[in-house]
Amino acid sequence: MIYNSFTDTGLLKVLTFLKTHNTEYLSGQDLSDVLRISRVAVWKHIKKIQALGYTVESKQKKGYKLTANSELLLPWEITSGLETKTLGQQAYYLNSIDSTQNQALKMANDSKNDGVIIIAEKQTGGRGRSGRKWISPKGGIWFSIILHPKFDIANTTLFPIASSLALAYAIEKTCKISTELKWPNDLTIKGKKLAGMLVDASFESNKIENLVLGVGINFNVDVKKMEKILKKTSNYYGIASLNEQKNKIKAIKLVQSFLVELEKIYGLLNTNQTKEIISEWTKRSSTIGKKVEINTINGKIKGQAVKIDDDGGLLIKNKGKINKIIAGDIIHLSK
Ligand code: BTN
């Protein structure tokens, strides 16, 4: 089932009315009169609203009352009160899909879809970096965002780094948790992977046509189960989940905050103010200063991670020589 944030359905009318009158019981007849829909339609929408995870109490002779919101990342919840200009202002939600990234790529060329976010409760064919699978059960936060950037093609490699910084900011603000940033764009807690990002870019005549940013956050996942599945895969270094931090975190608030932070950082990229991105990323980096190893097409490179360059490339020092790495998976060799 696919839902979006902008179709004016009867369901949204009923839900909005219940939300704005949640201190009282509303009879089916009143809802039908005010909203100008039949009583049968009201009843059907209430059933659907309940099925979407909202708690609607119903009492004989009194009617209906909304007592709790849904925990699902429903599109109208994402857009409600969202303080961005473009990002996330159009949202889609699916309870299951192969990959939100694949779905976003199908929609990415259309200029009307700039800023669209596509969220799924679970993915059956989630994609990770370097062609790996991304395990995406219920409980995680899995989404893709379509962007039609104004920034120069030279900033493309900095974009994933900037996006990981935006997520670190959002987690700091909404969850009061500090995360580490592992080059290029993993978020970790105590060295274990909490979130990953994937960017698919489309270029035309030396310009960026569109970018699709895929974000996977282990929000409320069974860490032991995931570690068991992923243990033998490449680039595995342990799994972290936000719910382990025993915080009452609302997934909606986290996604909204990420969209706000991403839009701000995206503005910095558009105006070429990249210094702040690099210095803030470096402050949170768990890679810089460490002994690292990376597999490249020319073989393994080992060395000390010195810093990231203006374009986000990682500079590694080995026997006095500096190597610049643009992409790849690194292993931290030192603590
Ligand atoms: C990584 O390998 O670290 C990147 C993982 C990116 C996963 C996200 S989940 C939402 C979106 N859809 C996908 O199929 N992949 C990305």
Side-chain angles (χ1 to χ4, degrees):
M1 190 68 193
I2 181 160
Y3 297 97
N4 63 43
S5 53
F6 40 90
T7 319
D8 184 22
T9 61
L11 182 137
L12 284 190
K13 278 193 201 167
V14 176
L15 180 61
T16 310
F17 204 77
L18 288 175
K19 279 191 179 188
T20 47
H21 297 81
N22 64 353
T23 51
E24 55 191 308
Y25 281 90
L26 302 161
S27 76
Q29 190 59 54
D30 286 349
L31 282 165
S32 157
D33 292 344
V34 176
L35 302 173
R36 292 166 193 244
I37 47 179
S38 69
R39 281 197 67 169
V40 177
V42 167
W43 182 81
K44 277 191 184 155
H45 290 315
I46 300 265
K47 287 280 153 234
K48 187 86 210 172
I49 288 167
Q50 288 171 325
L52 284 169
Y54 295 90
T55 313
V56 182
E57 279 179 12
S58 110
K59 270 198 182 160
Q60 260 198 351
K61 293 195 182 130
K62 283 183 131 185
Y64 306 105
K65 186 163 119 175
L66 181 77
T67 54
N69 269 336
S70 172
E71 295 293 317
L72 301 179
L73 292 165
L74 294 162
W76 46 84
E77 300 291 350
I78 297 284
T79 52
S80 159
L82 177 63
E83 288 172 356
T84 61
K85 212 165 148 260
T86 318
L87 296 198
Q89 291 298 343
Q90 297 179 76
Y92 292 82
Y93 171 87
L94 301 107
N95 29 24
S96 179
I97 193 173
D98 59 342
S99 152
T100 57
Q101 196 75 359
N102 294 348
Q103 179 60 38
L105 282 170
K106 285 182 204 154
M107 299 162 62
N109 276 341
D110 191 335
S111 59
K112 286 198 296 293
N113 290 334
D114 186 21
V116 157
I117 181 169
I118 300 164
I119 307 177
E121 191 177 8
K122 67 169 186 187
Q123 298 182 118
T124 51
R127 295 199 283 118
R129 287 192 294 118
S130 311
R132 284 185 291 265
K133 282 187 185 155
W134 182 261
I135 305 296
S136 331
K138 271 187 188 177
I141 301 180
W142 326 120
F143 63 88
S144 298
I145 301 172
I146 299 170
L147 295 154
H148 289 229
K150 290 187 202 74
F151 57 75
D152 194 86
I153 198 159
N155 282 338
T156 315
T157 47
L158 198 54
F159 175 70
I161 298 219
S163 306
S164 67
L165 177 62
L167 185 57
Y169 283 154
I171 294 175
E172 282 164 27
K173 286 192 178 157
T174 57
C175 315
K176 311 279 176 269
I177 291 171
S178 304
T179 54
E180 307 109 30
L181 298 177
K182 179 174 184 277
W183 188 88
N185 45 35
D186 285 357
L187 273 83
T188 66
I189 291 183
K190 293 190 189 127
K192 295 183 172 187
K193 184 148 172 169
L194 176 73
M197 295 189 177
L198 172 72
V199 178
D200 287 305
S202 156
F203 302 99
E204 196 175 291
S205 51
N206 226 25
K207 266 184 68 193
I208 311 169
E209 212 175 13
N210 60 63
L211 294 175
V212 174
L213 169 69
V215 182
I217 309 168
N218 296 326
F219 183 71
N220 190 7
V221 298
D222 185 333
V223 169
K224 286 216 171 78
K225 214 166 159 184
M226 274 181 92
E227 288 192 330
K228 213 169 155 193
I229 302 171
L230 291 168
K231 215 163 211 144
K232 292 200 175 87
T233 59
S234 64
N235 199 39
Y236 168 80
Y237 54 87
I239 298 293
S241 176
L242 274 176
N243 66 319
E244 290 175 309
Q245 312 306 313
K246 295 184 178 55
N247 244 317
K248 282 251 169 285
I249 307 160
K250 288 268 173 253
I252 286 277
K253 292 276 171 254
L254 177 56
V255 175
Q256 287 184 324
S257 171
F258 174 65
L259 289 164
V260 170
E261 298 302 329
L262 186 66
E263 193 166 89
K264 279 192 216 154
I265 280 191
Y266 189 46
L268 293 180
L269 282 174
N270 283 342
T271 48
N272 253 327
Q273 298 176 71
T274 53
K275 290 249 171 329
E276 182 183 331
I277 299 174
I278 291 171
S279 76
E280 288 301 315
W281 184 91
T282 305
K283 271 187 209 164
R284 292 161 179 80
S285 166
S286 57
T287 300
I288 305 305
K290 287 226 171 91
K291 225 177 140 196
V292 299
E293 181 182 284
I294 182 152
N295 281 316
T296 72
I297 38 169
N298 302 319
K300 265 187 194 153
I301 298 181
K302 271 190 194 176
Q304 184 98 13
V306 185
K307 63 169 195 159
I308 53 166
D309 220 351
D310 291 348
D311 60 0
L314 181 67
L315 301 185
I316 295 180
K317 194 172 177 183
N318 184 353
K319 295 180 187 142
K321 205 176 136 229
I322 299 279
N323 287 293
K324 181 164 164 177
I325 312 296
I326 291 297
D329 296 318
I330 56 157
I331 303 167
H332 289 167
L333 297 174
S334 58
K335 284 258 168 201

